[in-house]
Amino acid sequence: MACEPIIRVEDVTVAYGDFVVMRDINFEVQTGEVFVILGGSGCGKSTLLKSMIGLNRPTKGRVLIDGMDIVTAEGDEELAILRKIGVMYQQGALFGSMNLLENICLPLEEFTDLPRGARETIARTKLKVVNLDGSEYKMPSELSGGMRKRAAIARAMALDPKILFLDEPSAGLDPITSSQLDELILKLSRTLQITFVIVTHELPSIYKIADRVIMLDKRVKTIVATGKPGELRDRSDNPWVRQFFNREAEAAVESQQT
Amino acid sequence: MTTGAAAGLEYETREGGIVRLVVRGRLDAERIGSFWTQIVGQVVGAKPPRVEVDASRMEGCDGVGIALLQELKNRQEGNRNEFHIEGLRGDLAELMTLFEVGPTAMPARRSPATARFFETVGGSAMEFLSDLRDQIGFIGETVWKLAGVLIHPGQIRWGDTLLIAEKAGADGVGITALLGFLIGLILAFQSAVAMAMFSAQIYTADLVVIATFRELGPLITCFVLASRSGSAFAAELGTMKVNEEIDALKTMGIDPVRFLVLPRMIAAVFVVPLLTMFNNLLALVGCFVVMLAIGFAPQIVMDRIYEASDLVDLFGGLAKTLVFGWLIAGIGCLRGLQAGTGASAVGDAATRAVVSGIVAIVVVDGAFAMVYYFLGI
């Protein structure tokens, strides 16, 4: 099991009419790894993530999650796949009309027959893991950005998924909060063997947490590099990739011009 | 030879049409003012072969100054003529490069107006049809899912449904009743004046009762529901869409239609006949008041209203409101789920919810009129 790929993305192409967002994306994510998708603004990172969680149907290709294709799955099969994944959205996407406890209880309520007491205890344990114990009865609007993201991770973990997808976890957070979030990701990955797929372009987090990264480039509209972040920085034969990892301004300017 | 000047700025046209502009001091907004039109107009009109700017005594500039120099440069280069700045200080030259803009790229020529007219009409028609298909498809989907929910009632969040019913129903009683009263009052007053010509004022009661029970009561109530609740549903769901909450539901495996839309539709269908009854009752009160005012005895008016009231009219009207309520809530939710991104998306969704809700009600009411006619109701 340890070396089985848990996610396999095969030949994924996304196009809107004649406009191709990305083409021929192929990669695998191994069980238990922290996998980062990165690239400059507008390169299709979020679109790729949406295709992997079934919100966006790629024009072509398959996305196998634990052996089942999420692109074509419907009904019970789709539910079975969705039970294996949790998603943290960029702004948290907590339900504004419910407090944190209710937010986390919701998936439990929908998919299990557990009594109310059990559901609440489970929700409390999830909040404890993300260091939000004591905030059970707060509404999402009363939380800071970092707390919202942690609460969203807690909700994504409600049904003990095998894979967590995080959309820009560090966006809009200060360095300390962002680094706490990185610690949390490492802790969950180590202790619960959760596989993480993270979309980000925060270099400090990438160096800290990523086992492997793929990099998308909007000029060629596909993957330009795969590997460990340190190796890509030092040894990539693609100058643009090296520039990105070394934070050179030219890379940014160049990418805006294309 | 043309010359022109503003404080610290002057230009002259020399032999061979060469324009020479001399700048002294700061080249800024205050100084340039109307000089911009003068000098640029000169360049545009006369198309001089060469424009020279003597900037050796220029001490600084602001955004407007840079823009003026850029404008002159672009105009000249656009006309394939020369432009030259001399003596520009180093830091100002750097500013010029930093703010360097190319000539304005004209947007591609659009097709002539007539072709555009047909294109727009055709485009709107196609958009209307596809939108209509979406609405019908969505309403069909909700009916289908409702059937599923009736088999497994545990799938609906009844607590939420009650709260929504309270907001859409109980909180709307006041405005619905007020409108009903006023409509009854106005209708009775207007028709009493006309009926007087035929000495048939007593039948004002019949007119108000039949019109209210069959048409006005249901329609007015549903217009209120569309503008109060249809727009609220669209705004709520639109906000959830913008905040990715709808996406979050989907990836949790929770169907937004079952979770968010059905409770709203059920609540609306549940409250709208009740609201209509309030509206009808208060319209009769309005009619009663007018009849008293024009001199009929209370007992006579009561008798007439009672005579004119027909259960078939009443329930025929109430039956329609069930369908209207379903449409209003369904279209409101659909508009919310269709919301795009950005600040205006939610507002647009709310507007479209009210407009399409009201249009749908009136169209379906027409269909009801036909059906009732053939059924003899």
Side-chain angles (χ1 to χ4, degrees), chain B residues 46-274:
Chain B
K47 297 200 187 351
R50 183 176 165 91
V51 170
E52 296 172 357
V53 179
D54 176 2
S56 51
R57 271 163 291 178
M58 178 170 155
E59 282 159 16
C61 67
D62 65 356
V64 182
I66 292 174
L68 177 64
L69 295 180
Q70 291 285 352
E71 174 85 14
L72 292 175
K73 179 163 181 268
N74 283 336
R75 293 279 183 189
Q76 279 301 93
E77 285 171 359
N79 295 337
R80 295 177 195 281
N81 291 326
E82 284 174 56
F83 178 78
H84 183 71
I85 301 184
E86 56 194 45
L88 191 64
R89 233 166 54 196
D91 54 335
L92 298 176
E94 198 178 326
L95 275 183
M96 277 294 282
T97 351
L98 190 62
F99 287 98
E100 177 99 52
V101 285
T104 327
M106 281 295 176
R109 257 176 70 89
R110 301 176 66 184
S111 42
T114 45
R116 225 168 40 237
F117 172 77
F118 289 112
E119 202 181 304
T120 317
V121 170
S124 319
M126 292 305 289
E127 210 172 289
F128 174 77
L129 286 179
S130 87
D131 183 48
L132 194 66
R133 204 183 54 192
D134 286 349
Q135 288 184 37
I136 294 172
F138 185 74
I139 297 292
E141 183 187 347
T142 57
V143 172
W144 174 247
K145 286 188 171 154
L146 179 75
V149 164
L150 290 178
I151 301 169
H152 306 285
Q155 289 185 338
I156 283 277
R157 294 171 69 85
W158 294 106
D160 285 0
T161 312
L162 270 180
L163 281 179
I164 298 163
E166 184 188 333
K167 261 170 104 175
D171 296 354
V173 168
I175 181 73
T176 319
L178 175 70
L179 281 179
F181 177 71
L182 292 176
I183 294 285
L185 203 75
I186 295 163
L187 189 61
F189 184 72
Q190 296 278 32
S191 47
V193 174
M195 296 278 205
M197 290 194 290
F198 309 102
S199 306
Q201 273 177 318
I202 186 66
Y203 295 110
T204 302
D206 294 58
L207 189 149
V208 173
V209 168
I210 294 172
T212 305
F213 282 8
R214 292 184 69 102
E215 288 299 335
L216 285 179
L219 281 182
I220 299 282
T221 312
C222 288
F223 287 167
V224 173
L225 189 79
S227 41
R228 279 186 81 248
S229 307
S231 59
F233 295 164
E236 276 174 76
L237 268 60
T239 310
M240 292 185 75
K241 175 82 187 294
V242 172
N243 290 340
E244 296 183 308
E245 289 175 43
I246 305 279
D247 284 349
L249 278 176
K250 285 186 192 158
T251 44
M252 276 183 200
I254 300 174
D255 177 13
V257 172
R258 174 174 63 75
F259 189 78
L260 297 169
V261 177
L262 282 185
R264 283 170 173 75
M265 294 178 89
I266 292 173
V269 169
F270 183 68
V271 298
V272 69
L274 302 177

